[in-house]
Amino acid sequence: MKIALAGNPNSGKTTLFNAITGRIEHVGNWAGVTVAKKEGAVKKALNKTGVSMSVVDLPGAYSISPFTSEESITSGFVKNEKPDVIINVVDASNLNRSLFFTTQLLELGIPLVVALNKSDLLLKRNLTIDSEKLSVLLGCPVVNTVSTKRRNNGLVELISESAGRVGSQQISPFRSPKVNLFDPSSVDDADRDRFSFVNDLVYKVEMRKKGSDKYALQDKVDRFLANKWLGIPVFAMVMWTVFAISQTYAGPFLADLLVGWIDGLYVFVEGLIDGKVSPILQSLLLDGIIGGVGAVVGFLPLIMVLFWLLAILEDVGYMARVALIMDRFFKKVGLSGKSIIPMIISTGCAIPGIMATRTIKNERQRRTTAMLTPFMPCGAKLPVIALFAGVFFKDAAWVGTAMYFTGIGIIIAGALIVVRITGDTNARSYFIMELPEYRIPSIKRATSSMLARGKAFIVKAGTIILLCNAVIQIMQSFNWKFQMVAEGDESTSILAGLANPFAFLLIPLGFGVWQLAAAAITGFIAKENVVGTLAVVYSITNFIDTEELALVSGGADVASIMGIGSVAALSYLVFNLFTPPCFAAIGAMNSEMNSRKWLWAGIGFQFSMGYSLSFLTYQIGTLITTGAVGTGFLPGLAFVLLISGYFAYLMKRDDKETVPQLKMSF
């Protein structure tokens, strides 16, 4: 038996799906989070029928007529897959808007059950809905549900009603007249008739005690948080606070506990194998695997605290306000207002963020967003930020905050460049987004989100990063004649031989040594590898001082090992954060762009931007701190000018060739 979950965006479908199936799919207190269907089995505790049931969570849709890619997925599934039952998830606090889609689903003839979700909000809004009367008027069961509650949430009744509807004939109380889809006036007339029916139905079942024209508390809060001028500094303060908590206070304290266990494991294994295995195997196991992977995993608590705080911000409804604040900037530079959604999702992982660009209808805007989204620092880049902020800048919260705002700045600048190159300067888009109601954040949801992301991080550390560190250790242990490299002679190793040519190109950026070049290269496999590789090539088992309960402080210790100062360290951080993302994210770019030309142009743009920004960071920083420019200034400047000149040529060329076209997209 197959059940389809369908409803408007932000009606709580995915939260209901998680509650029914026990899965932990990402949810957000805003629209547009679900962009693809997901399937899971109904929990045994809810399924009393003994019949196997699966549930499909469909992207949010306002209409069965597909106007967006998400609505196409939903419309295509319910029309072609023919589920046994449709559970229409309706936001009880916004009945009028939701029932338009409900009446369209009823016309399909598929058995339907309405889940009157978020019923707990009715009391707060002084609303009452006669669900029994609504059931009679719609001709289908209506079940009150609160998917965020553990008990008395209506889910058992919902599944029971759904099972009882299988095989029945659904009769619709409203039949739309025959509509000529090629005649806008015919479509408008049909929609007006449907809205009229819905309004009449809502009038009969809903009782509202409070006038909707009165300002609620959240309206007053929005005047401050979503203010077009105050919103930006407030957002900066919020992000600074998030980084201060995660990387200065709570994060390092928890990290110390974990690193203590990793150190214990290192000592235990060392004692276990000391003198019993070959030096090569001992070095591979201790320095390559435990040391390298442990260096990455040691940052897990910092990352999880950050994820938890971001999940709280999302759940409380603040991130939707951030999208609203940034919308006007993005529209001015030629991006879609919807572009902010992939970028916020990318703070967790760039891959789902890039996938979320499919909600953007305009092709140029979608491809541009897919190209620019990886500039937002993702979770994989956080260990790199945490390492350099802790080692070279005394855990300063401004480092992480600055990286996020630098990412936003690059996105805006990049959008301006791309729109001038493509010549699509007149494309317009409209971003329609319903601001969710502020709510008390759920500790359970935030914790589940944090654990899910933490699990993905650990899995990656135990597979890709472990394998990569093992290979790095082997390549560093042997020379090209496959002979063991003597201690202190690592510059003759295979790894050094491969990394040296790249290190030469990085001299103008302030870190032209093979160890840092090797770490940057392995970062393209997975960004966490940068930390793991540094631990292996510098033989630093961890970056956290277990006695001082903090990341290794006093840049002097690690700087003396790495041979770089704080300016070069910042340059290295910028390079790793703003050059092309990992290969998996590039694969997602390829899929969403659907154009080899755009893909290679995007990779070239990302590399050019990261290299140029890193060059400017190092050379300007060195000039300010020492009074002279850094090593390799002239060749680096020539390369950056060459890149800039090429992009300037592309922008000027298209200015002449492009005929302005007016394109509208929604």
Side-chain angles (χ1 to χ4, degrees):
M1 174 181 170
K2 182 168 288 188
I3 301 173
L5 286 185
N8 289 169
N10 205 38
S11 58
K13 282 186 296 76
T14 303
T15 304
L16 187 66
F17 174 78
N18 288 342
I20 290 175
T21 62
R23 293 182 58 172
I24 311 176
E25 296 295 342
H26 179 61
V27 297
N29 187 17
W30 54 336
V33 173
T34 305
V35 296
K37 63 183 181 184
K38 301 180 179 69
E39 187 167 353
V42 176
K43 289 192 293 189
K44 291 182 180 178
L46 300 176
N47 184 1
K48 308 294 184 185
T49 64
V51 178
S52 176
M53 294 185 187
S54 64
V55 181
V56 180
D57 179 28
L58 297 170
Y62 290 108
S63 168
I64 202 68
S65 302
F67 289 103
T68 66
S69 59
E70 308 102 291
E71 289 179 341
S72 296
I73 295 171
T74 299
S75 175
F77 183 85
V78 295
K79 287 180 178 177
N80 303 323
E81 298 289 331
K82 301 291 183 186
D84 296 298
V85 179
I86 296 175
I87 293 180
N88 175 213
V89 186
V90 168
D91 181 354
S93 63
N94 207 334
L95 193 62
N96 193 292
R97 184 203 63 189
S98 304
L99 291 184
F100 183 89
F101 186 45
T102 303
T103 57
Q104 289 186 324
L105 292 174
L106 286 167
E107 286 189 82
L108 297 175
I110 301 172
L112 188 137
V113 177
V114 170
L116 207 56
N117 204 27
K118 303 182 182 180
S119 298
D120 55 327
L121 297 180
L122 295 177
L123 184 61
K124 296 177 183 176
R125 293 191 174 187
N126 291 321
L127 289 172
T128 304
I129 295 177
D130 188 340
S131 54
E132 292 184 5
K133 192 172 183 179
L134 180 62
S135 173
V136 173
L137 293 173
L138 288 176
C140 68
V142 175
V143 181
N144 290 309
T145 60
V146 184
S147 52
T148 55
K149 289 177 64 176
R150 282 190 175 185
R151 299 181 180 83
N152 300 322
N153 49 23
L155 298 188
V156 173
E157 294 82 356
L158 181 66
I159 297 302
S160 175
E161 289 285 359
S162 301
R165 293 281 290 158
V166 175
S168 62
Q169 180 64 38
Q170 181 64 59
I171 299 174
S172 173
F174 175 85
R175 279 287 170 189
S176 176
K178 192 171 183 180
V179 180
N180 180 3
L181 296 176
F182 298 99
D183 181 5
S185 62
S186 175
V187 175
D188 286 345
D189 289 342
D191 286 347
R192 285 196 186 92
D193 289 343
R194 190 179 299 276
F195 272 123
S196 176
F197 172 80
V198 169
N199 289 335
D200 183 56
L201 191 151
V202 172
Y203 178 77
K204 293 175 180 174
V205 301
E206 183 182 273
M207 284 149 281
R208 186 184 295 267
K209 294 182 181 177
K210 182 179 179 181
S212 59
D213 56 336
K214 294 182 179 178
Y215 283 110
L217 176 61
Q218 74 165 14
D219 296 321
K220 296 177 181 176
V221 176
D222 276 342
R223 286 184 172 182
F224 176 69
L225 293 183
N227 182 278
K228 64 179 182 179
W229 299 116
L230 291 176
I232 296 293
V234 169
F235 179 46
M237 284 298 299
V238 169
M239 291 306 296
W240 183 88
T241 305
V242 165
F243 273 97
I245 295 173
S246 62
Q247 298 187 23
T248 305
Y249 301 108
F253 175 76
L254 297 173
D256 172 67
L257 300 176
L258 180 59
V259 169
W261 297 341
I262 296 172
D263 282 348
L265 176 65
Y266 186 99
V267 173
F268 174 75
V269 175
E270 185 179 32
L272 203 64
I273 64 175
D274 190 27
K276 299 177 182 175
V277 299
S278 70
I280 299 176
L281 185 58
Q282 181 170 335
S283 176
L284 176 64
L285 185 59
L286 293 177
D287 298 328
I289 295 177
I290 298 179
V293 175
V296 177
V297 174
F299 288 96
L300 181 62
L302 283 75
I303 296 167
M304 292 184 75
V305 171
L306 180 65
F307 283 155
W308 191 83
L309 293 172
L310 291 177
I312 289 289
L313 288 177
E314 192 172 341
D315 200 40
V316 81
Y318 177 67
M319 299 309 278
R321 272 72 186 178
V322 174
L324 180 69
I325 294 167
M326 300 306 300
D327 173 49
R328 64 193 179 106
F329 295 106
F330 285 161
K331 280 195 293 193
K332 287 182 179 177
V333 298
L335 287 177
S336 165
K338 288 185 176 179
S339 299
I340 188 62
I341 297 175
M343 291 168 191
I344 291 179
I345 293 174
S346 290
T347 57
C349 177
I351 297 170
I354 294 169
M355 290 173 63
T357 59
R358 64 184 60 167
T359 63
I360 301 169
K361 191 175 181 182
N362 182 282
E363 187 177 67
R364 197 271 305 162
Q365 292 176 335
R366 185 179 70 252
R367 288 171 170 171
T368 304
T369 304
M371 177 195 299
L372 300 176
T373 287
F375 283 120
M376 288 299 290
C378 65
K381 295 174 181 174
L382 291 179
V384 190
I385 297 174
L387 169 64
F388 284 84
V391 169
F392 292 96
F393 301 99
K394 299 180 180 178
D395 298 322
W398 67 263
V399 177
T401 308
M403 292 303 110
Y404 273 81
F405 278 88
T406 301
I408 293 173
I410 292 174
I411 288 168
I412 292 174
L416 283 170
I417 293 171
V418 173
V419 77
R420 293 301 298 267
I421 291 175
T422 59
D424 193 13
T425 54
N426 292 314
R428 299 176 185 175
S429 66
Y430 296 93
F431 180 38
I432 301 174
M433 182 175 184
E434 182 186 355
L435 287 180
E437 187 173 343
Y438 287 113
R439 66 186 182 194
I440 298 174
S442 166
I443 303 299
K444 179 188 173 186
R445 282 195 294 273
T447 305
S448 297
S449 173
M450 175 192 72
L451 292 176
R453 292 179 176 183
K455 179 184 175 184
F457 185 86
I458 292 173
V459 169
K460 192 188 287 185
T463 52
I464 298 173
I465 296 172
L466 187 150
L467 179 63
C468 190
N469 285 340
V471 172
I472 292 293
Q473 180 66 33
I474 292 171
M475 291 171 68
Q476 186 180 236
S477 301
F478 291 91
N479 60 26
W480 289 101
K481 296 178 180 177
F482 297 102
Q483 297 170 330
M484 277 289 292
V485 173
E487 187 173 352
D489 205 19
E490 288 83 2
S491 61
T492 63
S493 66
I494 296 174
L495 183 63
L498 292 174
N500 266 325
F502 297 99
F504 179 76
L505 298 175
L506 302 178
I507 290 175
L509 311 185
F511 46 88
V513 294
W514 68 267
Q515 294 94 333
L516 293 172
I521 293 169
T522 58
F524 293 116
I525 300 172
K527 288 298 178 184
E528 300 95 327
N529 269 331
V530 174
V531 174
T533 304
L534 289 175
V536 173
V537 297
Y538 286 117
S539 299
I540 307 170
T541 55
N542 69 68
F543 295 102
I544 299 178
D545 189 324
T546 57
E547 295 182 359
E548 297 183 7
L549 302 180
L551 289 169
V552 171
S553 60
D557 293 338
V558 176
S560 63
I561 298 173
M562 291 187 179
I564 58 174
S566 56
V567 173
L570 189 61
S571 170
Y572 188 68
L573 180 61
V574 168
F575 182 81
N576 280 286
L577 263 54
F578 302 122
T579 44
C582 65
F583 292 143
I586 291 175
M589 284 172 55
N590 182 40
S591 174
E592 298 304 326
M593 288 178 167
N594 196 28
S595 164
R596 290 294 175 90
K597 181 181 176 182
W598 268 86
L599 175 67
W600 286 111
I603 294 172
F605 180 80
Q606 290 163 345
F607 180 79
S608 300
M609 181 62 78
Y611 191 94
S612 301
L613 208 58
S614 178
F615 171 79
L616 294 174
T617 301
Y618 174 64
Q619 297 295 344
I620 294 175
T622 303
L623 181 63
I624 293 173
T625 54
T626 67
V629 294
T631 310
F633 173 74
L634 288 178
L637 180 64
F639 185 63
V640 170
L641 288 177
L642 184 64
I643 293 172
S644 304
Y646 180 65
F647 281 110
Y649 161 74
L650 292 177
M651 288 189 287
K652 190 175 181 181
R653 181 199 62 177
D654 279 278
D655 259 1
K656 295 176 180 177
E657 296 179 355
T658 303
V659 178
Q661 296 176 347
L662 182 64
K663 296 181 179 179
M664 305 288 289
S665 62
F666 294 85

